[in-house]
Amino acid sequence: MKICCLGAGYVGGPTMAMIAHKCPDITVTVADINEKRIAAWNSAELPVFEPGLDDIVQANRGRNLFFTSDMVPAIRDADIIFVSVGTPTKTYGTGSGKAADLKYIELCARMIAEHAEGPKLVVEKSTIPVRTAESLKRVLGANSRPGVTFDVLSNPEFLAEGTAIDDLNCPDRVLIGGESPAAIEKLVDVYANWIPRDRIITTNLWSSELSKLVANAFLAQRISSINSISALCEKTGANVDEVANAIGRDSRIGPKFLKASVGFGGSCFQKDLMNLVYLCEHFGLPDVARYWEQVTDMNDWQKRRFSSKIVTTLFNTVNGKRIAMFGFAFKKDTNDTRESAAIYVGRDLLEEQATLAIYDPKVSADQIFYDLQQPQTDADGKPNDKALICSDPYEAAKGAHGLAILTEWDSFKELDYQRIYDDMMKPAFLFDGRNILDHTELRKIGFEVFAIGQ
Ligand code: NAD
Ligand code: UGA
């Protein structure tokens, strides 16, 4: 059997690497129009940082795992074609700011129709609005050569970045939605190479498509719920981590996704929630739309609340003050910064005329400048002196008036905070946006600590 995947991103790359790893008899080709990205997948420096990914790619690349920008043969030869391209929020026209932009999905469908020579199983791996399969089938059907047939399945991906390899290796469930039992069975057989059959759920197409959006909405909702309570804890003397632990022990609530933070980030929660809101509006359910919109409103408020707290605590001005930011990725163990809370906090502080000194163990300086919409050099070619990218945390904290933790990297817990304190301006303020540090110890050293929900 031959599998091809269109889109070699955070999902396509790791997912296909795992299929190749677990199914040595299947040839897996990951194809992407971005030649630079494909070159990186074929190099020692993969474009995606994900614990455990390097080993799997190295073990299988060139054997039954291939990365290519030559789309046509990849499509022509495949029995199963996964579509794993981006589905960002539309930034123009109808539905701007809410609806999913399906242009990359449609382009894939047109390319598949043009080059397919035999029967193909087309699998939606990207996260898409419910009923996208309908459009996909129409585009495929209207543009295919005579005699070529297509089955379309929905097989959304539930991996989280930073734990993608574990999630793919041992998922809570695999979800496959479709109309043709034979097509469903064909894909079930692929996953059954390593996943117990009772964890492979099969449904109709629309349930599968919708379940993906709903899963992300429920996860994001939990974070916004606990973040809303973090503000109440700060007013009342309750401790949000203690509250989360107390409620999470109720097996009906459960302990996961109750960590209060500076706000959720990542490429998907915001976009998938807005997509759900748009769908509800589209189907004439404005009250349902408003309900889910509140989840992102609360998240925006939490991010703004954090940057305002820094400004107000530093005597209502950060103008000309150095603020060290530890972490820029949207969560630990990834180099991905999409929708990271650090971007919004950083932009707010720059707006307030602060100087940022940023350290992240995995995010590149280029990416940080891009996200902050900052030039790397001024008109005279001198380095930007408003956003300094530091190669170690001690350098970032040196001379800082305030230190903010934006990402929960484990390495931040191991730092020498006495040394950091000694090198900072006094009073030395520390804002733990992830509640990962030992605040009692920090206060003993002399820091003035602000923690979320405490
Ligand atoms: P990504 O931006 O990292 O990768 C998408 C890739 O598709 C890019 O490399 C792009 O060049 C390529 N592409 C675009 N058009 C193409 C075409 N016509 N042919 C071939 N390649 C093309 O995106 P991602 O994070 O991998 O997400 C992909 C989808 O998976 C999205 O719908 C997302 O919502 C969903 N998803 C993402 C995650 C995650 O953790 N990132 C998890 C689950 C689901
Ligand atoms: C999320 C989902 O967890 C995946 O199941 C889904 O497949 C994926 O979105 C997707 O569709 O893209 P991801 O965004 O990679 O995965 O990472 P999460 O672990 O969900 O974290 C998202 C954000 O929420 C991060 O900024 C994280 O720091 C924050 N978070 C998470 C909290 O603030 N508190 C928590 O308790 C958990």
PDB file of all heavy atoms in Angstrom, residues 14-39:
ATOM      1  N   PRO A  14       4.873  14.630  11.670  1.00  0.00           N
ATOM      2  CA  PRO A  14       4.901  13.631  12.743  1.00  0.00           C
ATOM      3  C   PRO A  14       3.913  12.477  12.536  1.00  0.00           C
ATOM      4  O   PRO A  14       4.222  11.318  12.797  1.00  0.00           O
ATOM      5  CB  PRO A  14       4.528  14.437  13.993  1.00  0.00           C
ATOM      6  CG  PRO A  14       4.932  15.845  13.666  1.00  0.00           C
ATOM      7  CD  PRO A  14       4.708  16.000  12.198  1.00  0.00           C
ATOM      8  N   THR A  15       2.708  12.784  12.036  1.00  0.00           N
ATOM      9  CA  THR A  15       1.694  11.722  11.875  1.00  0.00           C
ATOM     10  C   THR A  15       2.154  10.684  10.858  1.00  0.00           C
ATOM     11  O   THR A  15       2.055   9.467  11.095  1.00  0.00           O
ATOM     12  CB  THR A  15       0.352  12.338  11.406  1.00  0.00           C
ATOM     13  OG1 THR A  15       0.054  13.434  12.235  1.00  0.00           O
ATOM     14  CG2 THR A  15      -0.775  11.344  11.463  1.00  0.00           C
ATOM     15  N   MET A  16       2.684  11.179   9.751  1.00  0.00           N
ATOM     16  CA  MET A  16       3.120  10.240   8.707  1.00  0.00           C
ATOM     17  C   MET A  16       4.377   9.485   9.148  1.00  0.00           C
ATOM     18  O   MET A  16       4.553   8.305   8.811  1.00  0.00           O
ATOM     19  CB  MET A  16       3.368  10.989   7.396  1.00  0.00           C
ATOM     20  CG  MET A  16       2.112  11.538   6.785  1.00  0.00           C
ATOM     21  SD  MET A  16       0.838  10.264   6.481  1.00  0.00           S
ATOM     22  CE  MET A  16      -0.533  10.914   7.421  1.00  0.00           C
ATOM     23  N   ALA A  17       5.247  10.170   9.899  1.00  0.00           N
ATOM     24  CA  ALA A  17       6.442   9.481  10.406  1.00  0.00           C
ATOM     25  C   ALA A  17       6.012   8.306  11.294  1.00  0.00           C
ATOM     26  O   ALA A  17       6.589   7.213  11.225  1.00  0.00           O
ATOM     27  CB  ALA A  17       7.324  10.463  11.181  1.00  0.00           C
ATOM     28  N   MET A  18       4.961   8.528  12.093  1.00  0.00           N
ATOM     29  CA  MET A  18       4.505   7.445  12.983  1.00  0.00           C
ATOM     30  C   MET A  18       3.880   6.304  12.167  1.00  0.00           C
ATOM     31  O   MET A  18       4.128   5.118  12.451  1.00  0.00           O
ATOM     32  CB  MET A  18       3.498   8.010  13.997  1.00  0.00           C
ATOM     33  CG  MET A  18       3.012   7.008  15.019  1.00  0.00           C
ATOM     34  SD  MET A  18       4.351   6.271  16.002  1.00  0.00           S
ATOM     35  CE  MET A  18       4.743   7.611  17.122  1.00  0.00           C
ATOM     36  N   ILE A  19       3.101   6.638  11.146  1.00  0.00           N
ATOM     37  CA  ILE A  19       2.497   5.578  10.318  1.00  0.00           C
ATOM     38  C   ILE A  19       3.614   4.758   9.659  1.00  0.00           C
ATOM     39  O   ILE A  19       3.594   3.514   9.678  1.00  0.00           O
ATOM     40  CB  ILE A  19       1.530   6.164   9.266  1.00  0.00           C
ATOM     41  CG1 ILE A  19       0.293   6.740   9.970  1.00  0.00           C
ATOM     42  CG2 ILE A  19       1.101   5.098   8.250  1.00  0.00           C
ATOM     43  CD1 ILE A  19      -0.765   7.332   9.039  1.00  0.00           C
ATOM     44  N   ALA A  20       4.618   5.457   9.114  1.00  0.00           N
ATOM     45  CA  ALA A  20       5.726   4.736   8.458  1.00  0.00           C
ATOM     46  C   ALA A  20       6.452   3.837   9.469  1.00  0.00           C
ATOM     47  O   ALA A  20       6.808   2.698   9.168  1.00  0.00           O
ATOM     48  CB  ALA A  20       6.702   5.736   7.842  1.00  0.00           C
ATOM     49  N   HIS A  21       6.621   4.367  10.664  1.00  0.00           N
ATOM     50  CA  HIS A  21       7.338   3.634  11.716  1.00  0.00           C
ATOM     51  C   HIS A  21       6.593   2.358  12.123  1.00  0.00           C
ATOM     52  O   HIS A  21       7.190   1.302  12.309  1.00  0.00           O
ATOM     53  CB  HIS A  21       7.474   4.574  12.912  1.00  0.00           C
ATOM     54  CG  HIS A  21       8.314   4.056  14.012  1.00  0.00           C
ATOM     55  ND1 HIS A  21       9.635   3.710  13.844  1.00  0.00           N
ATOM     56  CD2 HIS A  21       8.034   3.811  15.326  1.00  0.00           C
ATOM     57  CE1 HIS A  21      10.128   3.283  14.990  1.00  0.00           C
ATOM     58  NE2 HIS A  21       9.184   3.321  15.891  1.00  0.00           N
ATOM     59  N   LYS A  22       5.273   2.479  12.221  1.00  0.00           N
ATOM     60  CA  LYS A  22       4.471   1.356  12.718  1.00  0.00           C
ATOM     61  C   LYS A  22       4.054   0.398  11.604  1.00  0.00           C
ATOM     62  O   LYS A  22       3.619  -0.713  11.880  1.00  0.00           O
ATOM     63  CB  LYS A  22       3.198   1.883  13.411  1.00  0.00           C
ATOM     64  CG  LYS A  22       3.472   2.732  14.637  1.00  0.00           C
ATOM     65  CD  LYS A  22       4.017   1.884  15.778  1.00  0.00           C
ATOM     66  CE  LYS A  22       4.125   2.693  17.059  1.00  0.00           C
ATOM     67  NZ  LYS A  22       4.648   1.896  18.162  1.00  0.00           N
ATOM     68  N   CYS A  23       4.153   0.846  10.361  1.00  0.00           N
ATOM     69  CA  CYS A  23       3.672   0.023   9.243  1.00  0.00           C
ATOM     70  C   CYS A  23       4.793  -0.112   8.207  1.00  0.00           C
ATOM     71  O   CYS A  23       4.751   0.567   7.155  1.00  0.00           O
ATOM     72  CB  CYS A  23       2.440   0.650   8.590  1.00  0.00           C
ATOM     73  SG  CYS A  23       1.186   1.226   9.729  1.00  0.00           S
ATOM     74  N   PRO A  24       5.789  -0.955   8.458  1.00  0.00           N
ATOM     75  CA  PRO A  24       6.922  -1.027   7.539  1.00  0.00           C
ATOM     76  C   PRO A  24       6.542  -1.453   6.123  1.00  0.00           C
ATOM     77  O   PRO A  24       7.285  -1.173   5.176  1.00  0.00           O
ATOM     78  CB  PRO A  24       7.852  -2.069   8.194  1.00  0.00           C
ATOM     79  CG  PRO A  24       7.123  -2.627   9.363  1.00  0.00           C
ATOM     80  CD  PRO A  24       5.915  -1.796   9.640  1.00  0.00           C
ATOM     81  N   ASP A  25       5.356  -2.071   5.966  1.00  0.00           N
ATOM     82  CA  ASP A  25       4.956  -2.509   4.617  1.00  0.00           C
ATOM     83  C   ASP A  25       4.298  -1.399   3.810  1.00  0.00           C
ATOM     84  O   ASP A  25       3.974  -1.599   2.629  1.00  0.00           O
ATOM     85  CB  ASP A  25       3.974  -3.681   4.704  1.00  0.00           C
ATOM     86  CG  ASP A  25       4.629  -4.879   5.368  1.00  0.00           C
ATOM     87  OD1 ASP A  25       5.872  -4.960   5.300  1.00  0.00           O
ATOM     88  OD2 ASP A  25       3.909  -5.692   5.968  1.00  0.00           O
ATOM     89  N   ILE A  26       4.040  -0.268   4.439  1.00  0.00           N
ATOM     90  CA  ILE A  26       3.389   0.839   3.724  1.00  0.00           C
ATOM     91  C   ILE A  26       4.444   1.885   3.365  1.00  0.00           C
ATOM     92  O   ILE A  26       5.269   2.251   4.204  1.00  0.00           O
ATOM     93  CB  ILE A  26       2.279   1.488   4.591  1.00  0.00           C
ATOM     94  CG1 ILE A  26       1.208   0.454   4.954  1.00  0.00           C
ATOM     95  CG2 ILE A  26       1.658   2.686   3.868  1.00  0.00           C
ATOM     96  CD1 ILE A  26       0.074   0.984   5.821  1.00  0.00           C
ATOM     97  N   THR A  27       4.420   2.334   2.121  1.00  0.00           N
ATOM     98  CA  THR A  27       5.323   3.426   1.719  1.00  0.00           C
ATOM     99  C   THR A  27       4.593   4.743   1.939  1.00  0.00           C
ATOM    100  O   THR A  27       3.484   4.937   1.431  1.00  0.00           O
ATOM    101  CB  THR A  27       5.691   3.285   0.228  1.00  0.00           C
ATOM    102  OG1 THR A  27       6.319   2.015   0.068  1.00  0.00           O
ATOM    103  CG2 THR A  27       6.646   4.388  -0.206  1.00  0.00           C
ATOM    104  N   VAL A  28       5.215   5.623   2.702  1.00  0.00           N
ATOM    105  CA  VAL A  28       4.565   6.879   3.075  1.00  0.00           C
ATOM    106  C   VAL A  28       5.354   8.050   2.484  1.00  0.00           C
ATOM    107  O   VAL A  28       6.546   8.193   2.738  1.00  0.00           O
ATOM    108  CB  VAL A  28       4.496   7.020   4.611  1.00  0.00           C
ATOM    109  CG1 VAL A  28       3.785   8.312   4.988  1.00  0.00           C
ATOM    110  CG2 VAL A  28       3.795   5.821   5.241  1.00  0.00           C
ATOM    111  N   THR A  29       4.677   8.876   1.685  1.00  0.00           N
ATOM    112  CA  THR A  29       5.328  10.041   1.075  1.00  0.00           C
ATOM    113  C   THR A  29       4.625  11.301   1.558  1.00  0.00           C
ATOM    114  O   THR A  29       3.406  11.424   1.408  1.00  0.00           O
ATOM    115  CB  THR A  29       5.246   9.961  -0.466  1.00  0.00           C
ATOM    116  OG1 THR A  29       5.829   8.716  -0.866  1.00  0.00           O
ATOM    117  CG2 THR A  29       6.007  11.108  -1.112  1.00  0.00           C
ATOM    118  N   VAL A  30       5.395  12.200   2.133  1.00  0.00           N
ATOM    119  CA  VAL A  30       4.821  13.459   2.605  1.00  0.00           C
ATOM    120  C   VAL A  30       5.208  14.541   1.601  1.00  0.00           C
ATOM    121  O   VAL A  30       6.395  14.756   1.340  1.00  0.00           O
ATOM    122  CB  VAL A  30       5.346  13.825   4.010  1.00  0.00           C
ATOM    123  CG1 VAL A  30       4.499  14.939   4.609  1.00  0.00           C
ATOM    124  CG2 VAL A  30       5.363  12.612   4.925  1.00  0.00           C
ATOM    125  N   ALA A  31       4.203  15.187   1.012  1.00  0.00           N
ATOM    126  CA  ALA A  31       4.469  16.147  -0.063  1.00  0.00           C
ATOM    127  C   ALA A  31       4.010  17.539   0.356  1.00  0.00           C
ATOM    128  O   ALA A  31       2.944  17.692   0.956  1.00  0.00           O
ATOM    129  CB  ALA A  31       3.724  15.717  -1.330  1.00  0.00           C
ATOM    130  N   ASP A  32       4.836  18.524   0.041  1.00  0.00           N
ATOM    131  CA  ASP A  32       4.489  19.899   0.420  1.00  0.00           C
ATOM    132  C   ASP A  32       4.967  20.840  -0.681  1.00  0.00           C
ATOM    133  O   ASP A  32       6.009  20.614  -1.303  1.00  0.00           O
ATOM    134  CB  ASP A  32       5.172  20.244   1.750  1.00  0.00           C
ATOM    135  CG  ASP A  32       4.506  21.410   2.469  1.00  0.00           C
ATOM    136  OD1 ASP A  32       4.518  22.537   1.918  1.00  0.00           O
ATOM    137  OD2 ASP A  32       3.983  21.200   3.576  1.00  0.00           O
ATOM    138  N   ILE A  33       4.182  21.913  -0.916  1.00  0.00           N
ATOM    139  CA  ILE A  33       4.586  22.879  -1.937  1.00  0.00           C
ATOM    140  C   ILE A  33       5.741  23.755  -1.455  1.00  0.00           C
ATOM    141  O   ILE A  33       6.387  24.418  -2.246  1.00  0.00           O
ATOM    142  CB  ILE A  33       3.402  23.782  -2.363  1.00  0.00           C
ATOM    143  CG1 ILE A  33       2.683  24.306  -1.108  1.00  0.00           C
ATOM    144  CG2 ILE A  33       2.424  23.043  -3.249  1.00  0.00           C
ATOM    145  CD1 ILE A  33       1.575  25.303  -1.419  1.00  0.00           C
ATOM    146  N   ASN A  34       5.989  23.750  -0.165  1.00  0.00           N
ATOM    147  CA  ASN A  34       7.056  24.577   0.402  1.00  0.00           C
ATOM    148  C   ASN A  34       8.381  23.794   0.335  1.00  0.00           C
ATOM    149  O   ASN A  34       8.648  22.910   1.150  1.00  0.00           O
ATOM    150  CB  ASN A  34       6.671  24.923   1.844  1.00  0.00           C
ATOM    151  CG  ASN A  34       7.693  25.810   2.512  1.00  0.00           C
ATOM    152  OD1 ASN A  34       8.861  25.851   2.114  1.00  0.00           O
ATOM    153  ND2 ASN A  34       7.257  26.518   3.536  1.00  0.00           N
ATOM    154  N   GLU A  35       9.199  24.159  -0.659  1.00  0.00           N
ATOM    155  CA  GLU A  35      10.430  23.380  -0.899  1.00  0.00           C
ATOM    156  C   GLU A  35      11.418  23.490   0.259  1.00  0.00           C
ATOM    157  O   GLU A  35      12.140  22.554   0.582  1.00  0.00           O
ATOM    158  CB  GLU A  35      11.087  23.851  -2.199  1.00  0.00           C
ATOM    159  CG  GLU A  35      10.264  23.447  -3.400  1.00  0.00           C
ATOM    160  CD  GLU A  35      10.875  23.872  -4.730  1.00  0.00           C
ATOM    161  OE1 GLU A  35      12.017  24.346  -4.740  1.00  0.00           O
ATOM    162  OE2 GLU A  35      10.166  23.728  -5.743  1.00  0.00           O
ATOM    163  N   LYS A  36      11.429  24.669   0.880  1.00  0.00           N
ATOM    164  CA  LYS A  36      12.348  24.876   2.013  1.00  0.00           C
ATOM    165  C   LYS A  36      11.999  23.920   3.156  1.00  0.00           C
ATOM    166  O   LYS A  36      12.869  23.339   3.800  1.00  0.00           O
ATOM    167  CB  LYS A  36      12.212  26.329   2.496  1.00  0.00           C
ATOM    168  CG  LYS A  36      13.544  27.035   2.645  1.00  0.00           C
ATOM    169  CD  LYS A  36      13.339  28.504   2.893  1.00  0.00           C
ATOM    170  CE  LYS A  36      13.882  28.839   4.275  1.00  0.00           C
ATOM    171  NZ  LYS A  36      13.553  30.193   4.715  1.00  0.00           N
ATOM    172  N   ARG A  37      10.694  23.782   3.391  1.00  0.00           N
ATOM    173  CA  ARG A  37      10.242  22.910   4.471  1.00  0.00           C
ATOM    174  C   ARG A  37      10.613  21.451   4.171  1.00  0.00           C
ATOM    175  O   ARG A  37      11.046  20.704   5.039  1.00  0.00           O
ATOM    176  CB  ARG A  37       8.737  23.068   4.659  1.00  0.00           C
ATOM    177  CG  ARG A  37       8.303  22.787   6.066  1.00  0.00           C
ATOM    178  CD  ARG A  37       6.926  23.323   6.369  1.00  0.00           C
ATOM    179  NE  ARG A  37       6.818  23.587   7.798  1.00  0.00           N
ATOM    180  CZ  ARG A  37       5.683  23.898   8.394  1.00  0.00           C
ATOM    181  NH1 ARG A  37       4.578  24.022   7.721  1.00  0.00           N
ATOM    182  NH2 ARG A  37       5.650  24.100   9.683  1.00  0.00           N
ATOM    183  N   ILE A  38      10.438  21.070   2.909  1.00  0.00           N
ATOM    184  CA  ILE A  38      10.767  19.696   2.526  1.00  0.00           C
ATOM    185  C   ILE A  38      12.270  19.465   2.673  1.00  0.00           C
ATOM    186  O   ILE A  38      12.717  18.421   3.184  1.00  0.00           O
ATOM    187  CB  ILE A  38      10.286  19.417   1.084  1.00  0.00           C
ATOM    188  CG1 ILE A  38       8.756  19.321   1.056  1.00  0.00           C
ATOM    189  CG2 ILE A  38      10.912  18.138   0.524  1.00  0.00           C
ATOM    190  CD1 ILE A  38       8.140  18.200   1.893  1.00  0.00           C
ATOM    191  N   ALA A  39      13.068  20.460   2.280  1.00  0.00           N
ATOM    192  CA  ALA A  39      14.526  20.322   2.419  1.00  0.00           C
ATOM    193  C   ALA A  39      14.875  20.119   3.888  1.00  0.00           C
ATOM    194  O   ALA A  39      15.745  19.304   4.236  1.00  0.00           O
ATOM    195  CB  ALA A  39      15.222  21.557   1.860  1.00  0.00           C
TER     196      ALA A  39
END
